[in-house]
Every structure is written in C-alpha cells, then in structure tokens.
Amino acid sequence: MELFYFVVFGALGAVVAALELSKNSKDRINTSSAFNSFKNNYLVVYSLMMAGDWLQGPYVYYLYSTYGFGKGEIGQLFIAGFGSSMLFGTIVGSLADKQGRRRACVTYCITYILSCITKHSPQYKILMVGRVLGGIATSLLFSAFESWLVAEHNKRGFEQQWLSLTFSKAIFLGNGLVAILAGLFGNVLVDSLSLGPVAPFDAAAIFLAIGMAIILSSWTENFGDPSENKDLLTQFRGAAVAIASDEKIALLGAIQSLFEGSMYTFVFLWTPALSPNDEEIPHGFIFATFMLASMLGSSLASRLMARSSPRFLVAPSKVKGESISFAGCLQLLGFCTFEACVGIFWPSIMKMRSQYIPEEARSTIMNFFRIPLNIFVCIVLYN
C-alpha cells in the first residue's frame, strides 16, 4: 500500500484526536447523570444497528458477483432495494407513529436479519426478496430510531439543547468509528480468515440480534399519534399538509433529499473515479479513511452546535493497472473533504428535524423526505 494512503489516514486521525482532546468548557454541554445514562444506552443500540448496516455495505456487490451475476442483474437488485425503501419502507416506517417507535425499531432488526439470511442463497429470486427486506429496513433505520430518541428525550424532560450532543456522538460513533471497525472486521472475516463474502452478513445479523435484545429489555414505547380513528391514508394526508403548510419543513426535506442524493451518488462512483483504468487501490483502507473524515466533520459539528448556533475535475491516468496517480491523490483529498461535510450534515439535519417536524407525524414526514431521494437514486442506478 502506498505511503500516501497512510499519510492521509494518519493526518485525519491526528486532527480528529486533537479536536476531541482540545475541547474546553465552551465546547462541552453540562448534563445530568440521568441524561448521560439515557444517552449512553441509545448510543450502544445505535452503534450496534449501524454495525449491522456497515458490515454489509462493502460486500453486497462482491457477493452478488461471486454468485455469477453480471452488472445488469446486480443493478436490478440494487434498484429493487431502493424501490422497496420508497414504496414499502415508506408505509412500514410511517406505521411507527401509530403503532409505536420501539416496535418499529424491533421490526428493523428482524427485517434486516432476515435480509442477511437470504444472502446464503445464490437464487436470484431469494436475493431479490432480501433486497426488498433490506429496503424496508433502511427506511426504518433512518426514521424510527431518531423518532424514538426525540420523543423519549422530550418525555423525560431533558434540555432541548442536549439532543445535539446525542446526535453528534451518534454520528461520531455510528457513522465514524463503528464504520471503520466494521470495515476492518469484515476484511478479517473475508480475507484473513477466508470465511467467504457471506461471513460479514452473518456477523451483521449477530450485532442486530444483540441490539434488539437491548431494545426489548431497556426501551419504553412511545407514539406519535396513537388515536384509533386515523388510518394510514389519513396519516399520509396529515404529513403532506404539514409539509405544504410550513416552509421550514418543506425546505428541510429539500435539503435532506438533495444532499443525500449527492451522497449516494458518491457512494456508487468513488471507486471508478479513483481507479478509472483499473488501478490497484486498497478499497477497505480508503473506505476507512472516508469514515475518519466523516468523524472529523461530526466532531466539528458538536463544537458548532454546543455554541448554539469543491469538485475536482482532474484528468485520469491513461495507463491501466498502475498505482494511484497524482490526479487520483487530489481526488482522494477532495472526497475526504466531502465526507467531512457529510459528518457535519448528519447531526445538523437531525437537530433541525427535532425542532421543526411535528411529533405526531415525525416518522411519516421523515419517510416522505426519502421518496424523492429514492427516486433520484433509482434513476442514477438505472443509467
């Protein structure tokens, strides 16, 4: 592995460590012991949920290819996942407001575990079922857990500002440290122990099962609008009215859909961008570097919220199979900058959603926001 990768990773690690160690009283929020216990419980669960998700990501395409499927068939499987998130996931996720957010979080665990089990089969139809289940689980992951947290935080009477601390720590751990460890752990399972590309999915199922056990034993139920006379169509109509009548909610949804659309496009395209001529690049180590950059962003976000308040067009190398070029090095630095922005984005958008989205339809509105995102991603995948 080239020295450049180690330099970038080491530099980002040093900056993150310096930011965390240099925090002073202005950057910290004084909280209660009851809140710290509540926060730590949520962070453990959220980290386990994200570990179950991150373990799968780097190996989905690889697993399908080892089963003998081509790019077209694999593309259809991915489209099925995002299409399922848009159609079925929106419905299932919206039921959380009426049926209970804790129950929805447990449903996420069960659905994703079943999706992991389907990866043992090389049958295309079974893999397609797994993608549909995974799409439903994704919608629940990005709506039910946040909805439960906000409602429970308010129900227990904690300070509103403390939510930003939980959000920033959740992204720092779940989307940063856990992602790095999951990537390295998956690499050990597949390459070092030679357990095959399905091993990370089995490990993900174990983490999800542990998280589900903690939820069942320590979380209480909360609801958005538990009234018996509201069916799903009425919930959708109410969510649409809330979005249309409040400019802040509509703008928040637009920001989320547009930013996440660019983020998912980046996820699909960073590999061919850094190796346009099949250059040898360490995918796992680069992924870990991106996650470290995201940790940097979330660390910055926690400081900003505690105080209240470039695209690289570089010609690629023409020589196939060589190591990363100078242009690729510049692109890698640019991509790390983008990932740092992602780290800032997540806790910030979570904080704004907690302030502006009405509690009675929180999960429903959050899943509405994902509809244009999933449409955009399906169009990108189709092309």
Side-chain angles (χ1 to χ4, degrees):
M1 192 184 301
E2 293 185 13
L3 178 63
F4 177 74
Y5 298 116
F6 288 108
V7 171
V8 175
F9 188 89
L12 286 171
V15 173
V16 171
L19 280 174
E20 288 298 305
L21 294 173
S22 65
K23 285 184 176 180
N24 54 40
S25 58
K26 292 182 179 179
D27 302 313
R28 301 183 188 277
I29 302 175
N30 293 322
T31 58
S32 66
S33 59
F35 169 76
N36 289 332
S37 177
F38 168 74
K39 177 196 69 176
N40 292 336
N41 174 271
Y42 178 80
L43 291 177
V44 169
V45 171
Y46 184 78
S47 296
L48 288 168
M49 300 300 102
M50 294 307 299
D53 190 48
W54 287 120
L55 273 167
Q56 300 179 57
Y59 295 98
V60 175
Y61 191 101
Y62 176 54
L63 177 68
Y64 292 155
S65 64
T66 59
Y67 285 152
F69 299 115
K71 288 183 178 179
E73 292 170 308
I74 294 175
Q76 291 172 3
L77 287 168
F78 274 95
I79 290 175
F82 285 100
S84 167
S85 181
M86 178 177 64
L87 297 175
F88 306 115
T90 301
I91 295 173
V92 175
S94 299
L95 287 173
D97 288 325
K98 185 175 178 60
Q99 302 299 327
R101 279 74 178 267
R102 174 178 176 269
R103 188 173 291 127
C105 293
V106 172
T107 302
Y108 160 79
C109 297
I110 295 173
T111 306
Y112 225 179
I113 289 172
L114 292 175
S115 176
C116 291
I117 293 174
T118 64
K119 299 300 189 294
H120 282 272
S121 173
Q123 298 296 318
Y124 191 78
K125 290 182 179 179
I126 295 179
L127 293 174
M128 183 66 76
V129 171
R131 289 301 300 176
V132 172
L133 291 172
I136 295 172
T138 300
S139 287
L140 291 171
L141 175 61
F142 292 108
S143 61
F145 288 90
E146 183 180 329
S147 296
W148 180 89
L149 171 66
V150 174
E152 196 68 18
H153 181 99
N154 293 330
K155 186 169 72 174
R156 299 190 183 199
F158 297 134
E159 294 288 338
Q160 184 68 24
Q161 189 187 11
W162 295 355
L163 260 178
S164 63
L165 181 62
T166 306
F167 288 143
S168 60
K169 285 296 183 183
I171 299 304
F172 185 86
L173 294 173
N175 289 29
L177 183 61
V178 168
I180 294 172
L181 295 177
L184 297 175
F185 183 48
N187 191 71
V188 169
L189 293 174
V190 176
D191 295 331
S192 302
L193 300 179
S194 301
L195 296 177
V198 77
F201 297 92
D202 293 334
I206 293 173
F207 283 118
L208 291 169
I210 295 172
M212 181 171 65
I214 297 175
I215 292 173
L216 290 171
S217 63
S218 62
W219 285 23
T220 58
E221 188 61 276
N222 61 55
F223 302 87
D225 188 351
S227 57
E228 296 293 335
N229 59 344
K230 275 196 174 182
D231 56 19
L232 194 60
L233 186 60
T234 304
Q235 284 183 255
F236 284 154
R237 190 181 297 114
V241 170
I243 295 172
S245 60
D246 192 331
E247 184 183 30
K248 290 186 178 68
I249 298 177
L251 290 174
L252 195 62
I255 291 169
Q256 177 179 321
S257 297
L258 292 170
F259 190 92
E260 289 190 42
S262 66
M263 184 180 69
Y264 280 112
T265 304
F266 170 79
V267 169
F268 300 143
L269 299 180
W270 72 261
T271 296
L274 292 179
S275 56
N277 298 293
D278 295 330
E279 291 88 349
E280 292 292 333
I281 60 173
H283 294 82
F285 196 81
I286 291 176
F287 173 78
T289 303
F290 288 159
M291 295 303 99
L292 193 55
S294 180
M295 288 177 68
L296 170 62
S298 64
S299 183
L300 289 172
S302 66
R303 285 190 171 217
L304 294 173
M305 289 191 290
R307 301 185 182 199
S308 297
S309 298
R311 186 178 175 186
F312 285 73
L313 298 175
V314 188
S317 168
K318 300 297 183 183
V319 182
K320 181 177 180 178
E322 67 174 17
S323 61
I324 190 170
S325 63
F326 176 72
C329 292
L330 291 179
Q331 284 184 319
L332 180 63
L333 294 175
F335 291 166
C336 287
T337 303
F338 177 80
E339 281 292 340
C341 293
V342 172
I344 296 174
F345 167 79
W346 280 117
S348 304
I349 200 75
M350 288 175 172
K351 176 66 173 176
M352 288 189 288
R353 284 195 298 237
S354 71
Q355 291 177 324
Y356 297 123
I357 296 179
E359 178 60 37
E360 64 272 10
R362 184 175 302 279
S363 294
T364 306
I365 292 175
M366 288 171 64
N367 278 290
F368 261 46
F369 290 168
R370 295 187 63 80
I371 292 176
L373 163 66
N374 286 310
I375 293 174
F376 176 80
V377 172
C378 286
I379 292 173
V380 170
L381 277 172
Y382 181 78
N383 287 280

